[in-house]
Amino acid sequence: MHEARQYTKNNDGTVSCSLCNHRCTIKEGKHGICGVRKNGHGTLFAETYGKISAEAIDPIEKKPLYHYLPGTLSYSLGGIGCNFHCEHCQNWHISRVALRDAHVRSLTPAEGVDRAIAGQCQSISWTYNEPTIWHEYTLDMGTLARIKGLGTIYVTNGYITEEALRELAPMLGAFRVDLKAFSEEFYKTVCGAHLQPVLDSTLLARELGMHIETVTLVIPGLNDEMEEISALIRWVIEHLGPATPMHFSAFHPDYKMTDRGATPVATLEKIYRRAKELGLRFPYIGNVYNHQYENTYCPACGATLIERHGFSSRFIGLDDRQCRNCGEKIEVVRHVS
Ligand code: SF4
């Protein structure tokens, strides 16, 4: 078993985990909220180190990431467990399963990097479930990946603590974060968490030099009020900058949330137009097949830079990081430094 990082031992035999903002104090023999970190005789163990539940070679657009190594493949790994308990989770079969019941197999960090390179991927993504709770494993693999020149990606709910994120910073290239809503009430009732720590970690990720893209799953009747969405967009523009790509995705009924229908495309289109009005350079809509608002357009002249169909991309108006038509500089990471 692999000893965890980011925790302290207490005199009474409990341990205090400081990996995510739940900051669990865990009694002997018990797990934290995420279900994968266990106190064994006063030591905190990362039970899922080196255990994967899912492995795939995905177009990076599937994350979705549109401005970080666009048009490339990303070696994608998932573990099990989650520190959020969202009622609409689309990956509940891995996020809510106990280790003893899960179908997992072993993969060392070095093997993961080798498989990424063999699969002609330019990056590794920890995705499908929450990577924060896989901290030690992703840290080890990501450190090796950077030495080999690969990009590294967290697809995350952003509930990581400052100290854990700072530890990841030398190896983590992109922070693809869910901004699930712009209301504390939503985070409390739907996810069992709080909003402010997510905003704080996203800001810190920006300060630490990571590439940021945000995703908001627009759920009818829960977070689709234009006032709330506008406030979220304004926050992103003000704190992360107008060049931050924001993805607004369609909800489909899943897991415990089947009491409402899918998000109308018209709602997403309205949000897209609002985002443009507010000054966001790169809004996108998602989970809607073949829509023009999945393309990247030049914010200066409106020329199509990258055309997307499903997860495939055609670079029709982008020369490295510049609009071919008007020369506007486009904020996109084409190579890992
Ligand atoms: S990662 Fe978060 S949920 Fe899991 S034990 Fe640590 S503080 Fe608790």
Side-chain angles (χ1 to χ4, degrees), residues 5-7 15-26 31-38 44-45 82-85 132-135 159-161:
R5 305 173 74 92
Q6 299 291 344
Y7 82 102
V15 296
S16 297
C17 179
S18 54
L19 186 50
C20 88
N21 279 288
H22 287 307
R23 296 191 182 271
C24 301
T25 294
I26 308 168
H31 290 90
I33 289 171
C34 56
V36 297
R37 299 171 78 80
K38 183 179 180 183
L44 186 63
F45 291 102
C82 192
N83 52 351
F84 276 20
H85 292 170
T132 298
I133 62 172
W134 228 10
H135 183 79
Y159 216 51
I160 192 167
T161 58

Side-chain angles (χ1 to χ4, degrees), residues 89-109:
C89 183
Q90 292 174 347
N91 287 333
W92 55 269
H93 53 289
I94 57 171
S95 66
R96 303 306 312 140
V97 71
L99 183 56
R100 65 179 176 279
D101 302 323
H103 296 288
V104 291
R105 67 178 181 83
S106 298
L107 183 83
T108 67

Side-chain angles (χ1 to χ4, degrees), residues 189-201:
T189 56
V190 178
C191 311
H194 299 284
L195 168 63
Q196 193 58 47
V198 177
L199 302 179
D200 292 345
S201 71

